[in-house]
Amino acid sequence: MPQAPAPSTGSQAPSSFAALARLLRYARGYRRQIIAATTCSIINKLFDIAPEILIGIAIDVVVNQDTSFVASLGFETAQQQIIALGTLTFFIWAGESLFEYLFQILWRNLAQRLQADLRQDAYEHAQRLDMSFFEQRSSGQLVATMNDDVNQLERFLDGGANAMIQVVVTILAVGAVFFAISPLVACLAFTPIPVIIWGTFFFQRKAGPLYADVREKVGDLSSRLSNNLGGIATIKSFTAEQREAERLRTSSEAYVEANRKAIRVSSAFIPVIRMAILAGFLATFTVGGMMALEGSLNVGAYGVLVFLTQRLLWPLTGLATVIDLFERAMASTRRILDLLEEPVQVRDDGKQPLTAPVRGDVAFERLSFQYHNSSAGIQDISLKVPAGHTLALVGATGSGKSTLIKLLMRFYDPAKGRITIDGTPIDTVSMQSLRQAIGLVSQDVYLFEGSIRENIAYGRPDASDADIVAAARTAEAWEFIEQLPDGLDTLVGERGVRLSGGQRQRLSLARALLKDPAILILDEATSAVDNETEAAIQRSLRHIRHNRTVIVIAHRLSTIVDADTIAVIDGGKVAETGDHSSLLAEDGLYAAQWRVQTGHADQPQPA
């Protein structure tokens, strides 16, 4: 089973920004919304720092009156100057409030839209991935990626993106004002900035791998919960509640420990930054004050510098929280985009559908296939199933019977050989038309949470009740359905837990029959049911196999004695073929298995 990528042990800054670049490429369709939200964030921050400048200007008015900066703009008396500043302050505060409202709306709507599209795209891409992908991955990890990781990105876009933009705008805007007033004080005030930036990237390099590990632990925890809740009956039957609770506690503690390590690094960031900020503030406060006392710096300008130093440096303490959000979001973004970029090996390149009507003439031509990292598979198998005939596949577990079905459904592609339906290679037709022509009833029945009606009509959502009832009758499911209080509206529960195994199997057969496929596959559909259900399915088969190709995988040989052709698969190869009588006469593997199942294993073999 492939393991999830291990967290990087090197510098995490490049990978985090690489993840951001990947996200921006994915979000290029949202470019207008991103530009609009960013513009509103910038304008809001410019309005936000303006009151500090106005305070300094007001001090200048009070101290210098007729010679103040505002007086030079044409406001002669101090009273007129104060009124002008008050009016300007009103419009600045109104503008700040307006653009805060706008950037909140834009960023939050963008976050909602982007997370919804990411989740949808990830799910739709996952549906196109090969079955091997799902056989090698934990469903809990996939659910964590599509849900928790997407939500983590949403939280960053809700507030973190705006905060990062506004920090940059603050540094640039305040820096411009500082250098315009006093380059010397500006240099002193900006001295902590390199320390803060260095600390930010140092923190990022340290925290990045830790948050990647946090995301992995979330996936492990989700996987554990998903597996345990799905297997709750088994846990109860083996009285394993305490053991499973301890295993969950272990996974939960691993998640707590991963978070603890990340929190320890992030918490150390703020005290360091606070001391750097203090150094910058004291430099402005003392040096600027001395210059004001000497008369080389206007008192109002000094006030502007003191207030703007606070405005410049203090928000940087929040940078730790922003970087924390950023690192968590980028760790999640990598997992989401990695899923979206997972390659599809079995590609749906067929442009044309199967020629209608599909007769159901199936041919396996010299097929070979081997599972990745496994010796299991098939070798050079050739079989033909004429339209309307029944082929039974028998053999030991792991011999390759189900592999043939997976190749026919194009869950995998063969390494060698090909499969044709009505003479057309299946890899040249669309998967939709291929799978619409095939009905699958497997041993492991999966019913979706909902009503019996919805489950039977899953392959034909627009089917009428008359068609649903007809399919249920043919599958001999109608008798138990009409005895239920709510009939077709009866809820089956998650995975059909409210129904018996035999009832679920009959509904699965009805679901396949309503689809009316040209090819019906029964993959050990009677191996785990009671005798009554087996007899019912056998009666159904006698009705439905006429004018339909049926491929049956069976361990119970009594269920396939009427098959037109029986193929014995052994070690991935066809060992014997024939009908029931000819295979018994051949006295090979089939005959030996027949004697075991009929209780004549000790019967002497014919000479």
Side-chain angles (χ1 to χ4, degrees):
M1 174 177 173
Q3 299 298 315
S8 170
T9 56
S11 173
Q12 195 68 14
S15 61
S16 293
F17 287 114
L20 178 60
R22 291 170 66 191
L23 178 63
L24 291 174
R25 285 195 298 271
Y26 171 84
R28 59 184 176 271
Y30 305 89
R31 191 169 300 164
R32 290 185 178 180
Q33 295 97 310
I34 293 173
I35 292 173
T38 301
T39 301
C40 288
S41 293
I42 292 171
I43 296 174
N44 168 261
K45 179 49 63 176
L46 293 176
F47 277 129
D48 183 50
I49 63 177
E52 277 72 13
I53 298 174
L54 292 178
I55 292 173
I57 295 174
I59 293 173
D60 179 49
V61 168
V62 172
V63 173
N64 297 314
Q65 297 190 13
D66 294 344
T67 60
S68 70
F69 169 74
V70 179
S72 66
L73 299 177
F75 298 95
E76 297 178 355
T77 66
Q79 290 78 6
Q80 289 177 334
Q81 296 171 33
I82 292 296
I83 292 173
L85 288 176
T87 304
L88 184 58
T89 299
F90 171 80
F91 284 108
I92 286 174
W93 278 71
E96 180 187 358
S97 300
L98 172 63
F99 283 97
E100 181 170 1
Y101 168 78
L102 291 176
F103 83 64
Q104 293 270 14
I105 290 290
L106 289 169
W107 280 119
R108 290 183 177 182
N109 284 340
L110 175 64
Q112 292 300 315
R113 186 70 269 153
L114 188 58
Q115 64 92 13
D117 288 349
L118 262 175
R119 183 180 291 110
Q120 187 69 28
D121 288 347
Y123 173 74
E124 290 181 5
H125 181 70
Q127 287 191 131
R128 292 190 293 271
L129 291 173
D130 317 323
M131 288 303 298
S132 59
F133 174 83
F134 297 97
E135 292 169 357
Q136 297 168 355
R137 305 296 173 94
S138 160
S139 61
Q141 286 279 2
L142 293 175
V143 170
T145 297
M146 294 184 198
N147 190 41
D148 194 66
D149 283 329
V150 171
N151 289 340
Q152 197 70 247
L153 177 60
E154 177 197 355
R155 284 190 283 272
F156 170 70
L157 292 175
D158 266 347
N162 170 72
M164 290 184 73
I165 292 169
Q166 293 201 334
V167 165
V168 174
V169 172
T170 299
I171 292 173
L172 295 177
V174 172
V177 174
F178 261 67
F179 279 97
I181 294 176
S182 174
L184 173 61
V185 176
C187 290
L188 294 173
F190 272 73
T191 299
I193 298 295
V195 176
I196 294 171
I197 293 175
W198 173 85
T200 299
F201 283 100
F202 177 80
F203 161 74
Q204 188 186 46
R205 286 194 299 271
K206 293 291 186 181
L210 299 178
Y211 282 123
D213 187 45
V214 168
R215 303 317 310 151
E216 289 300 317
K217 293 299 186 291
V218 168
D220 293 342
L221 187 57
S222 296
S223 181
R224 173 68 60 195
L225 285 167
S226 176
N227 287 336
N228 284 15
L229 293 175
I232 193 67
T234 303
I235 292 172
K236 286 179 176 291
S237 68
F238 283 89
T239 61
E241 293 93 339
Q242 185 60 37
R243 184 166 72 249
E244 290 301 333
E246 287 301 322
R247 293 173 71 180
L248 179 63
R249 182 176 288 108
T250 299
S251 296
S252 183
E253 287 300 322
Y255 172 59
V256 170
E257 177 62 17
N259 259 310
R260 186 187 65 80
K261 292 177 180 178
I263 291 169
R264 183 174 58 193
V265 172
S266 64
S267 298
F269 179 68
I270 292 180
V272 173
I273 299 306
R274 286 174 67 95
M275 295 310 297
I277 289 171
L278 176 61
F281 178 76
L282 287 177
T284 304
F285 185 80
T286 56
V287 175
M290 294 298 181
M291 293 173 65
L293 291 174
E294 294 171 356
S296 60
L297 182 66
N298 184 284
V299 174
Y302 173 63
V304 169
L305 293 178
V306 171
F307 287 119
L308 283 183
T309 301
Q310 286 278 74
R311 177 63 68 182
L312 170 67
L313 298 177
W314 191 251
L316 294 177
T317 59
L319 203 57
T321 302
V322 175
I323 296 299
D324 184 271
L325 279 174
F326 177 72
E327 282 299 336
R328 289 177 183 268
M330 292 306 103
S332 295
T333 296
R334 283 191 292 273
R335 285 163 53 93
I336 300 165
L337 296 181
D338 284 348
L339 174 59
L340 280 169
E341 294 170 8
E342 186 74 29
V344 178
Q345 302 296 337
V346 182
R347 305 192 65 84
D348 188 10
D349 294 327
K351 304 299 182 184
Q352 301 298 322
L354 277 170
T355 303
V358 178
R359 300 191 309 277
D361 188 352
V362 180
F364 302 91
E365 301 177 0
R366 309 202 66 174
L367 286 183
S368 293
F369 174 81
Q370 185 172 333
Y371 293 98
H372 183 62
N373 293 330
S374 171
S375 59
I378 57 174
Q379 301 175 40
D380 199 30
I381 286 183
S382 294
L383 290 168
K384 289 189 177 180
V385 192
H389 281 224
T390 298
L391 169 68
L393 301 173
V394 299
T397 300
S399 60
K401 307 181 300 297
S402 293
T403 299
L404 285 172
I405 300 307
K406 292 176 181 178
L407 292 173
L408 177 58
M409 297 288 294
R410 284 205 74 198
F411 292 159
Y412 298 91
D413 277 338
K416 294 181 181 178
R418 67 175 189 169
I419 302 174
T420 64
I421 294 179
D422 296 344
T424 303
I426 62 173
D427 60 349
T428 64
V429 300
S430 68
M431 281 191 186
Q432 182 177 13
S433 68
L434 169 67
R435 292 172 181 169
Q436 282 181 339
I438 301 173
L440 175 64
V441 182
S442 65
Q443 175 184 0
D444 183 19
V445 177
Y446 191 97
L447 297 182
F448 294 90
E449 189 169 9
S451 68
I452 289 178
R453 174 189 284 103
E454 291 168 338
N455 273 279
I456 294 178
Y458 189 74
R460 278 180 55 195
D462 59 344
S464 66
D465 276 3
D467 290 336
I468 294 172
V469 171
R473 289 185 186 279
T474 305
E476 299 212 12
W478 181 245
E479 182 178 349
F480 85 79
I481 292 174
E482 64 179 351
Q483 292 176 357
L484 296 172
D486 296 322
L488 288 173
D489 293 318
T490 300
L491 299 178
V492 302
E494 188 176 7
R495 297 182 66 93
V497 295
R498 297 180 183 176
L499 303 177
S500 70
Q503 290 172 334
R504 292 197 296 269
Q505 195 63 269
R506 295 188 205 187
L507 289 186
S508 178
L509 180 58
R511 179 167 62 188
L513 294 177
L514 183 63
K515 188 180 177 182
D516 193 25
I519 303 166
L520 180 64
I521 298 172
L522 302 177
D523 187 357
E524 303 199 38
T526 62
S527 64
V529 299
D530 55 80
N531 292 333
E532 179 185 351
T533 301
E534 180 184 351
I537 292 176
Q538 289 305 308
R539 290 193 298 269
S540 300
L541 286 177
R542 294 190 186 98
H543 290 95
I544 66 179
R545 69 183 183 183
H546 298 294
N547 300 318
R548 190 190 311 273
T549 301
V550 180
I551 300 177
V552 182
I553 295 177
H555 276 120
R556 296 184 187 178
L557 302 187
S558 60
T559 63
I560 48 96
V561 293
D562 295 330
D564 299 294
T565 303
I566 300 172
V568 180
I569 311 297
D570 183 47
K573 298 180 179 180
V574 176
E576 300 171 0
T577 57
D579 61 15
H580 176 70
S581 299
S582 66
L583 289 175
L584 287 181
E586 189 175 327
D587 195 29
L589 294 173
Y590 182 84
Q593 189 174 351
W594 176 262
R595 286 193 296 273
V596 170
Q597 292 191 12
T598 56
H600 298 95
D602 57 348
Q603 181 176 319
Q605 298 181 11

